[in-house]
Amino acid sequence: MNLAAATNENLAHTSNVLIYSSMAVYTLAFFAHIAEWVFGSRSKVGRTAAALTTEEAAAAAVKVEVAQKGGATAVLERPKIITRSAAGSRDVPDGPGAAGGTFKGDLYGRMAVSLTVLAFLVQAGGVVARAMSVQRAPWGNMYEFSITFSTVAVGAYLVLLVLKKNVRWMGLLLVTTVLLDLGIATTVLYTSSDQLVPALHSYWLWIHVSTAIICGAVFYIGAVATLLYLFRDSYENKIANGGEPGSFAHSVLSRLPAASTLDKFSYRINAAVFPLWTFTIIAGAIWAGDAWGRYWGWDPKEVWSFITWVAYAAYLHARATAGWKGRKAAYLALVAFGCWLFNYYGVNIFVTGKHSYAGV
């Protein structure tokens, strides 16, 4: 074995070690997020006390404002909660988050985020080591795509946190799915480092596949928000209709952002990345023209990429059409993400086509 081959083998081993190490750290982050939700939970007495405290604070603010007016009689209305709700939806405040507004919950939440950052850096190092071992873009098969996809998903989540967006509530679900993704990648999808078939030796690999990974990661975040929106919307509906939600709803769903906030967040996420998905399909067509001499050949991967595009286009169009907001649009968004998932897992594993060149 020559020196270059030995070096590449060592880098591949290093990549595997880093990926497994990141899984260990993600597991610690998972338990920290669990602790955040557990210690951020309030009993019924605690929730009542918090509500009374809020009422007292509002009353005190009114008294202060009257005093500042020199004792003059003034008619003051209680401040209204303004949310970015869609037409016809309820105006309710966002929940306090996974930490529940408690010190101990927030402490564990910060620990979870710190561990997630560490796991992200270790995992990113594993992806880079894999790229160095094969001396190409690290997404030539499903294993490499999977480890890169989850890295980008966590990176997008951390960017939103850095931008001061209220997204820590999705940390537990994100870390859980990342662990599942890496578990499947390292056990079922693992492929030894190897070079690509001639058709993939192109700079379009960097352009087309990287944008596909980014789109999938962002679509995933939008899908998480959409799914949680459906649960939160049911919770708010029950309260609005005079019902009494169960203990799980009081403990978990009450801490999520308002349904209107989740609805807007998922819409904006999907709308922001949809143009990039359009570019991904166009870039793939151009690459197919260079590699296979035709821009479109109704290959299963091409077909399902287009189906996914149509599904998200329908969702965005539905959002701009009266009567297609809220739950109806949310169901369509989940169908669209389901198309993306099938395009990745289903087509790659169960369907044979021109994209079946690297096994799994």
Side-chain angles (χ1 to χ4, degrees):
M1 181 182 296
N2 57 40
L3 180 61
T7 301
N8 292 339
E9 185 176 340
N10 289 335
L11 286 171
H13 176 71
T14 301
S15 173
N16 295 339
V17 170
L18 289 174
I19 294 299
Y20 280 107
S21 298
S22 71
M23 293 175 66
V25 182
Y26 278 127
T27 301
L28 295 177
F30 170 81
F31 286 116
H33 274 300
I34 290 289
E36 177 186 18
W37 282 97
V38 169
F39 291 106
S41 177
R42 290 179 175 178
S43 63
K44 186 174 182 180
V45 174
R47 291 193 299 271
T48 302
L52 291 175
T53 302
T54 303
E55 292 286 343
E56 292 171 358
V62 170
K63 291 180 181 179
V64 169
E65 188 168 348
V66 171
Q68 288 177 344
K69 289 180 178 289
T73 302
V75 179
L76 299 176
E77 295 182 357
R78 290 185 60 189
K80 294 182 179 180
I81 297 168
I82 305 298
T83 61
R84 303 178 298 280
S85 58
S89 63
R90 302 164 299 272
D91 285 333
V92 296
D94 290 347
T102 65
F103 173 78
K104 201 167 187 179
D106 183 65
L107 175 62
Y108 280 106
R110 292 177 182 276
M111 290 173 58
V113 172
S114 299
L115 289 168
T116 302
V117 172
L118 177 60
F120 166 76
L121 294 176
V122 175
Q123 185 182 6
V127 173
V128 172
R130 176 76 175 198
M132 295 174 63
S133 70
V134 293
Q135 299 180 8
R136 57 168 172 78
W139 41 75
N141 50 60
M142 287 187 68
Y143 168 74
E144 295 174 355
F145 190 100
S146 294
I147 63 175
T148 307
F149 166 78
S150 53
T151 304
V152 174
V154 175
Y157 165 74
L158 295 177
V159 167
L160 290 174
L161 286 178
V162 170
L163 294 176
K164 306 298 183 182
K165 302 299 181 181
N166 177 23
V167 294
R168 205 168 84 184
W169 42 267
M170 73 165 58
L172 176 59
L173 190 55
L174 174 72
V175 169
T176 302
T177 50
V178 166
L179 282 171
L180 289 173
D181 173 77
L182 292 178
I184 294 172
T186 54
T187 56
V188 179
L189 304 178
Y190 183 77
T191 303
S192 300
S193 300
D194 199 2
Q195 293 304 310
L196 300 175
V197 296
L200 295 184
H201 285 287
S202 171
Y203 60 88
W204 283 106
L205 174 66
W206 292 91
I207 300 173
H208 171 63
V209 184
S210 64
T211 54
I213 292 173
I214 293 172
C215 289
V218 178
F219 280 148
Y220 163 77
I221 290 178
V224 170
T226 301
L227 184 63
L228 293 179
Y229 156 76
L230 292 174
F231 286 106
R232 173 75 187 202
D233 184 63
S234 296
Y235 167 76
E236 292 179 7
N237 271 333
K238 192 164 189 177
I239 293 178
N241 294 328
E244 180 63 26
S247 58
F248 174 81
H250 274 310
S251 176
V252 176
L253 298 181
S254 63
R255 286 184 270 170
L256 293 175
S260 57
T261 301
L262 290 169
D263 183 49
K264 279 287 186 181
F265 175 78
S266 60
Y267 169 66
R268 289 175 177 175
I269 285 288
N270 290 326
V273 79
F274 180 73
L276 187 61
W277 182 248
T278 304
F279 171 78
T280 300
I281 295 176
I282 294 173
I286 296 174
W287 187 11
D290 290 343
W292 299 319
R294 91 294 187 276
Y295 295 104
W296 191 267
W298 298 103
D299 182 75
K301 179 69 70 173
E302 296 169 348
V303 170
W304 276 96
S305 295
F306 180 67
I307 290 174
T308 302
W309 184 91
V310 171
Y312 274 107
Y315 162 73
L316 295 176
H317 177 71
R319 289 296 307 236
T321 303
W324 273 92
K325 298 184 185 299
R327 298 185 72 87
K328 291 182 180 179
Y331 292 138
L332 189 52
L334 292 179
V335 168
F337 184 67
C339 291
W340 188 91
L341 282 179
F342 182 79
N343 184 36
Y344 175 51
Y345 286 105
V347 173
N348 284 10
I349 296 175
F350 302 111
V351 183
T352 301
K354 279 187 171 294
H355 286 77
S356 305
Y357 33 64
V360 295

